Each structure stands twice: as C-alpha cells, then as structure tokens.
Amino acid sequence: MATVLHSSPKPPQLTRFFPSRSNFLAPLPPIPNPSLQHHHLYNFKSSTSKIFFSSSFSQGSNTPPETVCPVPLDQQPINEYQTLSTSFPFSWASSDVVEYSSKLFVTGASFALFVGFPVAWFGSVGPETEPFKRIMCSLSSGVLIVTLAVVRMYLGWAYVGNRLLSATVEYEETGWYDGQIWVKTAEVLSRDRLLGSFSVKPVLGRLKFTLVILAASLLVCVLLLYNVNGNQKASDISSENGSGRVIPGVYNDESARAFEPDAFCGEPSPP
C-alpha cells in the first residue's frame, strides 16, 4: 500500500507593484541593508590600513641605517674610507706589497736624482773633491721625502681608522661653529668596526713597519755623513799642521809667522 507524502506549501513571494508600469508582475530588487554595507566598508578600510602599515613597517625595518643618519655623506666614516682608499697617495698603502714598495722606491729615487743630486753637486764649492759626500746627501734627500709621504699616509689612515672604530661620530652640519656628535647604531657600529679591524689596521701596520725602515735608513745616512766629515776634518788638520800653512779661523804664533814673517822681525822664534 503506497504512502502519500504531503509537502508543506511554499510561502508566497512578497512582491511590490507599481501600477504605472506595464509589467506589474516583475518584483523589485532587494533593498540593501545599510548596516551590512557599513560593516563591509569598515572591513575593507581596516584591511587596507593593515596592509599599508605592514608594508610601511617592513620598509622601515629594511631601510639602511645611513638614510636615518644625521651625519652628512662626506663626513660619514665609511664614505671617508672609500674616498681615502682611492685618493693619491693614500691608495698606495692599500695596494699589494710589490706595488707599494715600487712606488715608494720610484718616488725616492726620482727626487734624489732630479732634485737632491743637482742641489748637492752644483750647490757646493769643489764637489769633485768630495763625491761620496754629495752622493750621500742626495740619497738622504730621497729617503727624507719618502718618509714625509709615508707619515702623511699614516696620519690619514689613522684618522679614518679612529672614526670607524669609535662608537660616536663628530660632524659639522654647516661649519666649524655647529659641531655635533652622533652615537652610532648597533648595525653601523658593527659594520664600521669590521671594516676598521680587517681593512684599516693592516694598512697601519704596514705603514709603521715602513717608517721604522726609513728611520733606520736616515740614521745610517747621517752616521756615514758624520764619519766622512770627521775624517775630512782630521785630514785637513793633519795636512795643515804638516805643511805649516795658515788654518782659516785659527790663530797661533806659528801660523802668523808663516803668513806675515815681516811683522815678527827681531823677535825670537818659538822653540
């Protein structure tokens, strides 16, 4: 025996009619809920503001420290290091050993040959009688000019190294009268100290070793010149005493009799 299932009738659809329209059976579109619209608009604004805030925060976190550093670009230690490492003659100290030594040798030899030797040879009386002394004077001038160049390089690299290793940076905004001090951030301090420890300190060690060698060379040149002058003076005195001639700048009776014997007529000669 079949069972008949009775379904509940569908509720009637509510419609609104406009008598002036021809198709008065067409229903009106549903009226949106204002509270629901406001809710969706608020969610859209909040999500947009969250995205913008997160993007701006991520950009701020990825911003390098130099962009927020108040120190001018030309006074920042890392820029000073880059400028110093590419300028003349400071770039010599950061090159390899062969190039560094050859440049210093060429500088000293050129100065000694083209400046020191002509001055020592033609600027004195009778240089042909003392050739060794003139050559030593020209070599000493070459060593001296190289020493001055190395001292200048050492002072420049030491200044930049101190600014890299220091936790603060002294800078001038517009002139000497408005000096300021900026404390480095942790990232900047770590970067600068790594650069100063592994790039500047080896250069300073090389320059110190060069200064020691140059100082020893100058000392040897001075000792040789002193010995040459001492030997020459001793030989001059012995020759003058042996020949009985007048010694310039020294007065005694013997030299006066040899120079002007008529003034001592009738006086007994010394024993």
Side-chain angles (χ1 to χ4, degrees):
M1 181 177 176
T3 305
V4 180
L5 297 176
H6 297 279
S7 60
S8 61
K10 292 179 65 177
Q13 186 176 4
L14 299 177
T15 58
R16 296 181 183 181
F17 302 95
F18 289 92
S20 61
R21 299 181 59 181
S22 59
N23 190 7
F24 57 88
L25 296 177
L28 290 176
I31 299 175
N33 191 354
S35 62
L36 187 62
Q37 267 192 344
H38 179 73
H39 178 71
H40 287 302
L41 183 60
Y42 175 77
N43 288 339
F44 175 76
K45 287 183 178 180
S46 62
S47 61
T48 307
S49 61
K50 286 180 180 179
I51 294 173
F52 176 77
F53 176 77
S54 63
S55 61
S56 63
F57 180 77
S58 62
Q59 289 178 359
S61 61
N62 294 331
T63 302
E66 292 81 6
T67 58
V68 296
C69 177
V71 183
L73 291 177
D74 58 341
Q75 299 183 36
Q76 293 182 10
I78 186 171
N79 294 331
E80 290 176 342
Y81 166 78
Q82 293 175 356
T83 303
L84 189 74
S85 60
T86 56
S87 60
F88 173 85
F90 301 97
S91 59
W92 295 0
S94 59
S95 57
D96 57 287
V97 180
V98 177
E99 184 179 0
Y100 168 70
S101 303
S102 61
K103 287 181 178 179
L104 292 182
F105 177 78
V106 170
T107 301
S110 301
F111 188 87
L113 183 62
F114 296 107
V115 179
F117 186 74
V119 171
W121 190 267
F122 299 105
S124 59
V125 180
E128 62 277 356
T129 59
E130 301 173 346
F132 181 76
K133 184 177 180 181
R134 307 297 178 238
I135 293 174
M136 289 303 302
C137 288
S138 61
L139 290 178
S140 301
S141 65
V143 176
L144 181 61
I145 198 66
V146 174
T147 304
L148 293 178
V150 175
V151 168
R152 181 68 185 92
M153 287 188 284
Y154 179 83
L155 293 177
W157 281 99
Y159 171 76
V160 173
N162 291 334
R163 286 176 66 85
L164 286 172
L165 297 175
S166 177
T168 59
V169 178
E170 298 180 0
Y171 67 96
E172 299 173 357
E173 292 182 352
T174 56
W176 58 269
Y177 48 83
D178 57 354
Q180 302 290 337
I181 297 178
W182 178 65
V183 181
K184 297 180 182 178
T185 60
E187 295 81 3
V188 174
L189 183 60
S190 301
R191 181 201 61 192
D192 289 354
R193 286 188 173 177
L194 283 174
L195 187 62
S197 300
F198 293 97
S199 298
V200 178
K201 282 187 175 181
V203 174
L204 291 176
R206 176 187 294 180
L207 292 173
K208 288 180 181 179
F209 183 73
T210 306
L211 286 175
V212 171
I213 294 178
L214 292 173
S217 302
L218 280 176
L219 181 61
V220 170
C221 292
V222 170
L223 291 177
L224 289 176
L225 287 174
Y226 180 77
N227 291 332
V228 170
N229 289 332
N231 294 333
Q232 185 177 3
K233 287 181 179 180
S235 62
D236 291 341
I237 292 174
S238 61
S239 62
E240 293 295 338
N241 291 334
S243 60
R245 294 182 299 177
V246 179
I247 302 174
V250 177
Y251 176 82
N252 52 36
D253 292 340
E254 183 179 357
S255 60
R257 287 176 184 277
F259 181 74
E260 194 175 2
D262 297 337
F264 294 89
C265 293
E267 295 184 5
S269 60

